[in-house]
């Protein structure tokens, strides 16, 4: 049994081109991580690849939870968070399967929490300029100004509010009322950060370079951005009226 204090949650839907490569890249790092794949019934048999790797090489450090149909990014992560909290992991990560998040940055996010003491580390595309490679200019501008919009509406000072590359300390996820997280798509990433901020957890943005996927198909669509646009207004109202949990000391 390969023990680790850290679990990386990777949601998947039709990632057969990437999933084995990203798993091997993570397991090649000097720092030992475990991986939990949450697969939403991928028709391309992504789950079968993961199960083969568990059976042949990575039992005890690679895990999979399968769901029937596309149920949303947010619900995939909530399922993964609950799975991790039922076990002994102290550091819980979010990461994409498509190499837009560089596995080599994982130890830097880990260090921000485990060594520097932050509660949440965000792999940030915008904390030191605009660090995005191979995205269409329209998507870069949409993402960049979406974060600006969130900052303007909510007063939340994080530069990359929509980032999906993160490390949480266990106590963050055990304090946030996960069943009250509303959003399933792009706005989920904003809501989780904003909730952690309102509760009073310490947050660090770690600069990373985001590289557009080379293989597979992006899951981004206009509806995801629509949810985020209107969801931010709702978060602002929550910030005025909602009673957030208190940090467990």
């Amino acid at each position: 049994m390969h023990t680790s204090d850290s679990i990386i949650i990777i949601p998947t839907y039709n990632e057969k081109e990437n999933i084995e490569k990203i798993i091997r890249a993570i397991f090649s790092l000097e720092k030992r991580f475990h991986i939990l794949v949450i697969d939403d019934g991928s028709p391309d048999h992504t789950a079968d690849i993961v199960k083969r790797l568990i059976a042949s090489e990575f039992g005890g450090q690679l895990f999979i939870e399968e769901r029937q149909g596309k149920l949303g990014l947010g619900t995939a992560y909530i399922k993964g968070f609950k799975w991790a909290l039922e076990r002994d992991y102290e550091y819980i990560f979010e990461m994409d399967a498509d190499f837009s998040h560089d596995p080599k940055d994982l130890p830097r996010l880990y260090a921000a929490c485990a060594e520097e003491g932050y509660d949440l580390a965000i792999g940030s595309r915008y904390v030191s300029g605009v660090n995005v490679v191979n995205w269409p200019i329209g998507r870069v501008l949409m993402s960049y100004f979406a974060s600006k919009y969130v900052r303007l509406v909510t007063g939340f000072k994080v530069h990359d509010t929509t980032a999906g590359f993160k490390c949480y300390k266990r106590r963050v996820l055990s304090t946030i009322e996960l069943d009250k997280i509303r959003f399933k798509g792009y706005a989920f990433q904003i809501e989780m950060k904003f909730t952690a901020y309102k509760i009073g957890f310490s947050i660090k943005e770690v600069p990373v370079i985001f590289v557009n996927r080379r293989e597979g198909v992006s899951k981004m669509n206009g509806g995801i951005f629509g949810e985020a646009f209107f969801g931010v207004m709702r978060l602002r109202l929550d910030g005025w009226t909602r009673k957030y949990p208190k940090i467990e000391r």
Side-chain angles (χ1 to χ4, degrees):
M1 182 72 171
H2 300 275
T3 61
S4 176
D5 62 354
S6 304
I7 185 82
I8 300 166
I9 301 168
I10 303 179
T12 56
Y13 184 79
N14 285 348
E15 291 289 356
K16 68 178 183 180
E17 297 92 349
N18 295 304
I19 191 61
E20 181 168 352
K21 295 173 186 174
I22 197 75
I23 288 168
R24 292 191 181 280
I26 292 168
F27 286 150
S28 72
L29 297 171
E30 183 176 350
K31 159 67 183 164
R32 179 169 288 163
F33 295 94
H34 286 181
I35 300 171
L36 171 63
V37 174
I38 309 289
D39 186 71
D40 273 5
S42 297
D44 71 350
H45 303 291
T46 297
D48 291 339
I49 297 171
V50 177
K51 288 185 282 189
R52 171 176 57 79
L53 293 172
I54 292 172
S56 63
E57 296 181 63
F58 301 124
Q61 54 186 322
L62 174 62
F63 309 92
I64 186 168
E65 290 287 311
E66 296 180 77
R67 308 194 301 171
Q68 298 302 313
K70 295 181 71 174
L71 301 176
L73 179 73
T75 62
Y77 275 125
I78 295 295
K79 182 177 181 65
F81 295 158
K82 291 180 177 180
W83 186 98
L85 291 172
E86 289 171 357
R87 292 155 178 85
D88 294 329
Y89 297 105
E90 185 61 35
Y91 304 97
I92 301 164
F93 291 73
E94 295 183 18
M95 186 178 186
D96 291 346
D98 61 7
F99 284 93
S100 55
H101 304 146
D102 188 343
K104 293 178 182 177
D105 288 325
L106 287 165
R108 297 172 59 227
L109 295 180
Y110 175 82
C113 291
E115 298 171 15
E116 298 177 46
Y118 289 92
D119 296 307
L120 169 58
I122 300 168
S124 178
R125 297 163 291 187
Y126 307 129
V127 71
S128 59
V130 179
N131 295 316
V132 177
V133 177
N134 292 335
W135 255 12
I137 187 62
R139 188 169 170 187
V140 173
L141 293 173
M142 186 179 294
S143 173
Y144 179 77
F145 284 108
S147 284
K148 291 287 188 183
Y149 166 71
V150 174
R151 286 163 57 90
L152 177 66
V153 172
T154 65
F156 185 30
K157 300 305 180 185
V158 166
H159 291 83
D160 195 349
T161 57
T162 61
F165 192 21
K166 305 200 287 287
C167 174
Y168 297 92
K169 276 188 176 177
R170 178 187 187 89
R171 71 177 193 143
V172 177
L173 297 178
S174 62
T175 302
I176 290 175
E177 297 168 300
L178 295 175
D179 289 334
K180 293 185 178 180
I181 297 297
R182 298 188 184 96
F183 300 114
K184 295 182 179 180
Y186 209 52
F188 167 81
Q189 302 293 7
I190 303 169
E191 185 176 8
M192 286 294 296
K193 297 183 192 70
F194 183 73
T195 303
Y197 159 75
K198 291 297 290 185
I199 292 172
F201 288 113
S202 58
I203 301 172
K204 179 176 182 177
E205 289 189 84
V206 177
V208 300
I209 296 175
F210 183 97
V211 180
N212 194 28
R213 67 162 64 234
R214 295 189 181 93
E215 298 183 273
V217 178
S218 173
K219 314 306 186 294
M220 199 65 66
N221 58 58
I224 289 173
F225 282 103
E227 181 197 52
F229 181 84
F230 293 106
V232 168
M233 299 178 189
R234 191 167 179 178
L235 289 178
R236 178 59 189 238
L237 292 174
D238 281 352
W240 288 332
T241 62
R242 179 178 168 184
K243 291 184 178 180
Y244 289 90
K246 293 183 179 180
I247 297 175
E248 297 178 6
R249 300 295 181 183

